[in-house]
Amino acid sequence: MYTAPMRVHDWRLLAVSALFAWGCAKEPEGSDGPSGEADADVDADADADADSDADSDADSDADADADDGPIRTDAIVAIGSGLGHSCAITLDGEALCWGNNENGQSDAPAGPWKSIAPGAVQTCGLRGNGAVECWSSLPNGITDPPAAVYTMVSSGNTHSCALDRTNQIQCWGANNLGQTDVPEGMTYVAVAAGALHTCGIRTDGYTECWGQDTGDGRLSPIGSGHVELSAGMSHTCALDSSGYPLCWGTNDAGQASPPSMQFQQISAGGYHTCGLSLEGVVTCWGNNDKGQASPPIDRFDRIAAGRTHTCGINQYSTVVCWGENQFGQSSPPATGSGESGLPDTGDADTGMGM
């Protein structure tokens, strides 16, 4: 519910990294050699060929630019949903938040950011150097992460947890129910903070949970070989190495009863859960009283379930949300493609047929 889940081995992370990678190789400068008319002719021919190649390259570049258009720096590359607000990160690393801002949880500082984790009354973000920063007007240390170099962060009701580079989980904020008491003597590869509980995938593929225990099984993970984890209000879901979902905890609305199908991502909300299929189609189950489990017909790259709303990054790298909109949490800001979150396609076919 309160986490932007990250897959432990996610091929899409490589694709995003490639957007920022480039390189060039410069040939060595020409050496001094014998000069003469033959050399001059060769040089002249070479210059002519070079000019021709340059013109050809210029034409090709111009055609490519005309086809591709300018790079959209406002394209969305990461997303997270909390209790009543959501946040996203653009290609240039800036954070956009919308929805409830009663405690300043939607007042994101300037980027660049790598990932973002909205909670109930706070939001935390991970910077490229591994630093985590949180924002909220509330006390109790919910905006005071321990100094470390982190690889991921997740936020719950009034607590947050992050995984550092030594595979240790560190938590901060409210601890009235033991939600920040990380079990000792273990190493982890992922962490997910729920409302009042937290879970982490250990390096051996098993998941450990701690925090509020009401006897509903939320602290009793099932299965092993987990590669992705997402914690909701009182249930948690994981994906195994084949992409099949496993859920445990409260199941009064069917939120912990996933369909038997493969997913590339899973996100647990308040009392609903959504999964992203290998083809980019969203399937949701559980409570749907606000439409939070009724995704639009579209193809998505990432999804993030909040308490009673859900948001996703669609195939056009823009945000689409559905469900409750009391605080505007389902009304993301326009990101260069119009308020609908969809590009202006004119009369063109959107290509969204299944």
Side-chain angles (χ1 to χ4, degrees):
M1 164 180 169
Y2 303 126
T3 180
M6 179 181 292
R7 195 158 187 173
V8 178
H9 302 293
D10 196 336
W11 60 266
R12 282 168 317 204
L13 297 181
L14 300 178
V16 172
S17 298
L19 295 175
F20 299 94
W22 64 91
C24 64
K26 185 176 181 180
E27 294 293 334
E29 298 292 341
S31 59
D32 293 336
S35 59
E37 292 181 359
D39 292 333
D41 291 340
V42 171
D43 290 342
D45 291 340
D47 290 341
D49 290 341
D51 290 342
S52 177
D53 291 342
D55 290 342
S56 178
D57 290 343
D59 291 340
S60 298
D61 291 343
D63 291 341
D65 290 341
D67 291 339
D68 297 341
I71 295 176
R72 277 185 50 205
T73 58
D74 64 348
I76 302 301
V77 297
I79 194 167
S81 291
L83 180 66
H85 74 295
S86 291
C87 298
I89 298 177
T90 62
L91 182 60
D92 60 0
E94 294 302 321
L96 303 172
C97 296
W98 59 95
N100 193 352
N101 195 34
E102 181 180 358
N103 298 290
Q105 62 265 51
S106 293
D107 291 333
W113 299 100
K114 183 178 180 180
S115 64
I116 199 160
V121 295
Q122 85 283 20
T123 303
C124 293
L126 176 68
R127 294 195 182 274
N129 63 0
V132 167
E133 297 177 24
C134 303
W135 49 97
S136 174
S137 61
L138 295 184
N140 300 325
I142 63 176
T143 60
D144 300 321
V149 178
Y150 296 102
T151 58
M152 66 181 300
V153 63
S154 182
S155 295
N157 254 7
T158 52
H159 79 291
S160 298
C161 297
L163 179 71
D164 68 26
R165 285 191 176 176
T166 66
N167 295 110
Q168 297 295 313
I169 292 175
Q170 301 197 46
C171 299
W172 59 95
N175 193 36
N176 55 312
L177 295 167
Q179 59 266 50
T180 65
D181 289 336
V182 185
E184 298 180 356
M186 300 179 186
T187 54
Y188 299 86
V189 294
V191 63
L196 297 170
H197 74 290
T198 307
C199 295
I201 302 177
R202 303 189 319 229
T203 50
D204 62 4
Y206 287 90
T207 292
E208 195 85 18
C209 297
W210 57 94
Q212 185 184 40
D213 185 2
T214 63
D216 59 1
R218 74 184 68 180
L219 302 187
S220 301
I222 60 175
S224 62
H226 300 161
V227 298
E228 177 168 319
L229 193 64
S230 181
M233 176 68 76
S234 53
H235 75 293
T236 302
C237 293
L239 293 181
D240 65 20
S241 58
S242 297
Y244 286 99
L246 299 163
C247 298
W248 58 92
T250 301
N251 195 34
D252 53 353
Q255 64 267 43
S257 296
S260 181
M261 58 183 293
Q262 290 175 296
F263 294 106
Q264 59 174 295
Q265 189 210 340
I266 197 165
S267 184
Y271 299 95
H272 75 292
T273 307
C274 294
L276 183 64
S277 76
L278 303 182
E279 297 77 25
V281 178
V282 177
T283 299
C284 300
W285 55 95
N287 189 18
N288 193 35
D289 61 341
K290 303 294 184 180
Q292 64 267 42
S294 297
I297 299 175
D298 204 342
R299 294 189 184 275
F300 290 85
D301 294 325
R302 296 297 286 177
I303 53 174
R307 188 178 190 276
T308 53
H309 76 291
T310 308
C311 294
I313 305 173
N314 72 4
Q315 59 185 323
Y316 304 108
S317 298
T318 57
V319 177
V320 178
C321 300
W322 55 95
E324 186 174 12
N325 199 35
Q326 178 183 0
F327 304 106
Q329 65 265 49
S330 291
S331 298
T335 55
S337 298
E339 294 181 359
S340 67
L342 295 174
D344 181 7
T345 57
D347 296 327
D349 183 3
T350 60
M352 287 166 48
M354 299 301 175

